[in-house]
Amino acid sequence: MLILNTFTILIQVAFIVFMTLLSMNIVRFLTGGLKNMVAIAPAVFVNHGGGPMPLLGDKDSIGLTRFLRDEVKKYVNLKELKAIILVTAHWEESKVTISSSEHHDLYFDYYGFPPETYKYRYDAPGDPELAKRIHTELTKAGIDSKLDPKRGWDHGVFVPMMLINPTADIPIIQISVLANQNPEEHYNLGQVLHQFRKEGIAIFGSGMSYHNMREFRFSRNTGRVVNEEFDAFLYNACTSTNEKRKEQLLVWEKQPGASDAHPPRAAEHLMPLIVIAGAGGEGPGERVFNWDLTGTFRLSGFVWKN
């Protein structure tokens, strides 16, 4: 009887030791796995404002400045990012063009602003290897593209990024939109870029959800929002899942208020949003910015986080 009890105790001790070791290994495996996991980076559309105005403390741009400086980081963990692919409305080409140098100077593509606005610096590195990989993936998908090691980063890049990440320590790849302003081609571009989010590379689109230069000049402070209906369309489209989102954005020109928000052949500022919607993946986007410039022009920003 004593021998049986002793044997039972030994079995129980052995089982406890085994389970303890097993638990320790499971914890070690899980924590090691978590350390090695790369978070899926977000796809984000931001409005970059008029020229350098968000950087100048312009009272009409204060809501936009605050969002770029203070709010974006609530939706994008900059410390986790390996790089940023940034699609800018201020670079139109006949084929998708990708900045590919280790360093790019700034391209001051605005006019008539104070002298200090032509002395800005933003010394984030480029990433030639990532640029080549993007070029390769676009080629595989049948999208014509080219590398460009010379063109500087325009204000669609450096104005928002100086506010979003002033330390300039995250590599940036600048990508053009297409001069044809074809929504399907831009959505397809975004769908190819989506895969890089799985590597911890964020996809940013920099444009304006409303961009009518004539109205900006002559219809400020009207006391009414001039693009309320079109902004509602963008909200419904971008907060839909992929299939419906694409279906709606491909016919954006047919929506009420579309030609007022983005005049014919001048919709380059909407194209980055369509790219980012394509890079959003299957799930719906979230509107994270909704603000009326001078109380008249409603601007919306979106994020897809998966």
Side-chain angles (χ1 to χ4, degrees), residues 273-291:
L273 173 54
I274 296 178
V275 175
I276 297 307
E282 291 301 319
E286 176 187 359
R287 182 161 65 185
V288 292
F289 179 70
N290 190 229
W291 173 73

Side-chain angles (χ1 to χ4, degrees), residues 10-182:
L10 288 174
I11 290 294
Q12 290 175 340
V13 170
F15 178 76
I16 291 170
V17 171
F18 171 77
M19 291 304 296
T20 300
L21 291 173
L22 180 62
S23 298
M24 289 173 63
N25 282 319
I26 290 173
V27 170
R28 190 177 296 116
F29 172 79
L30 289 176
T31 54
L34 288 172
K35 288 179 182 177
N36 293 324
M37 282 177 63
V38 177
I40 296 178
V44 189
F45 173 76
V46 299
N47 297 270
H48 59 238
M53 299 304 281
L55 300 175
L56 292 173
D58 171 57
K59 65 179 180 62
D60 287 340
S61 302
I62 193 65
L64 182 54
T65 299
R66 286 174 179 162
F67 174 74
L68 295 170
R69 183 189 62 208
D70 303 328
E71 301 294 320
V72 170
K73 61 178 63 72
K74 295 179 180 179
Y75 308 101
V76 182
N77 189 338
L78 299 173
K79 294 179 181 179
E80 291 183 346
L81 298 186
K82 302 295 186 293
I84 293 172
I85 297 170
L86 199 154
V87 182
T88 171
H90 285 276
W91 191 11
E92 288 189 281
E93 296 283 352
S94 60
K95 62 175 70 175
V96 177
T97 309
I98 307 158
S99 68
S100 59
S101 181
E102 292 182 357
H103 173 79
H104 287 267
D105 293 327
L106 301 190
Y107 173 34
F108 299 104
D109 56 334
Y110 45 65
Y111 309 95
F113 290 96
E116 64 268 25
T117 65
Y118 300 91
K119 298 177 183 179
Y120 291 138
R121 295 184 63 86
Y122 193 73
D123 292 323
D127 190 333
E129 290 306 312
L130 176 57
K132 291 176 185 176
R133 290 181 54 218
I134 295 169
H135 177 50
T136 297
E137 293 304 315
L138 291 176
T139 301
K140 288 180 182 177
I143 297 175
D144 202 7
S145 64
K146 64 180 179 180
L147 300 173
D148 186 330
K150 295 182 178 180
R151 187 185 191 271
W153 289 341
D154 60 54
H155 79 271
V157 177
F158 70 80
V159 168
M161 290 310 305
M162 285 176 69
L163 291 165
I164 292 169
N165 187 39
T167 56
D169 56 354
I170 301 173
I172 292 175
I173 299 295
Q174 176 181 245
I175 292 185
S176 75
V177 293
L178 292 165
N180 64 16
Q181 298 178 10
N182 181 296

